[in-house]
Amino acid sequence: MTLVASAALLSACGDNPSEDAAADKSASPSHSMATDKMGGMAMGDPSAVPADKVPGAEVVKGQLELLETRPPGMDDVKGTAWLAQGPKGSTVTVSLTGLKPGATYMAHLHAKHCADGNGGPHFQFEKGGATMPPNEVHLMFTADPDGKGMTTVNNTRKTGADAVALVVHPREAMDNRIACADFDF
């Protein structure tokens, strides 16, 4: 039962029907791994080298824009997302303010722009494959006492121009997308 709940949570945003819990080790942060307690998956590392500081990488940046699907009390959320593609693969960083202190949030790369269905489905390296890292890029973080949250995750593969947005939602409310950032290549 716990495995099914974990798979459903990690496939988040309500657009991936698969509950494939398979994962390999190719998604790993550059420093100590922060992992999801339920699945042991690498989901981000706030102490990792941020995407906008990865040496030799091409970096795109997007400002997070509030979505109509956000839960009540999220009107002050602001932030930025970066996607870097370099010699060691892809690095994604998200940084937000205005979050509920102590709450846990998730972010995912998406395959469509924010104006197109709030980012549409999750970006997948292999379309129709596993809904878990390393086939998808998931970030999980907890807001500090001031409502700030930040994390970075790495994947050994490059997304190319197919990962065009990043969507953030509360961990416990997958369909309540708070904000979305477009990446313009």
Side-chain angles (χ1 to χ4, degrees), residues 39 50 60 103 113 121 127 157 167:
V60 290
H113 287 284
K127 291 180 183 175
R157 295 185 270 181
V167 174

Side-chain angles (χ1 to χ4, degrees), residues 57-123:
E58 292 184 36
V59 181
V60 290
K61 175 181 174 181
Q63 291 301 121
L64 286 154
E65 301 290 334
L66 293 175
L67 298 172
E68 293 296 320
T69 56
R70 69 187 178 275
M74 298 274 104
D75 294 344
D76 295 329
V77 173
K78 295 178 182 159
T80 306
W82 296 266
L83 170 61
Q85 297 183 71
K88 295 183 179 180
S90 299
T91 300
V92 181
T93 299
V94 63
S95 178
L96 298 105
T97 61
L99 300 170
K100 180 180 174 186
T104 302
Y105 298 89
M106 299 214 36
H108 308 274
L109 289 180
H110 279 250
K112 294 186 177 187
H113 287 284
C114 300
D116 190 0
N118 292 335
H122 290 178
F123 162 80

Side-chain angles (χ1 to χ4, degrees), residues 21 30 33 41 49 107 128 133 170:
S30 59
M33 281 192 252
M41 307 293 315
V49 174

Side-chain angles (χ1 to χ4, degrees), residues 15 48 98 164 181:
D15 52 31
V164 297

Side-chain angles (χ1 to χ4, degrees), residues 139-159:
L139 297 94
M140 186 183 304
F141 56 96
T142 300
D144 71 12
D146 295 324
K148 297 177 184 175
M150 190 279 295
T151 197
T152 296
V153 71
N154 296 323
N155 191 295
T156 59
R157 295 185 270 181
K158 293 182 183 182
T159 64

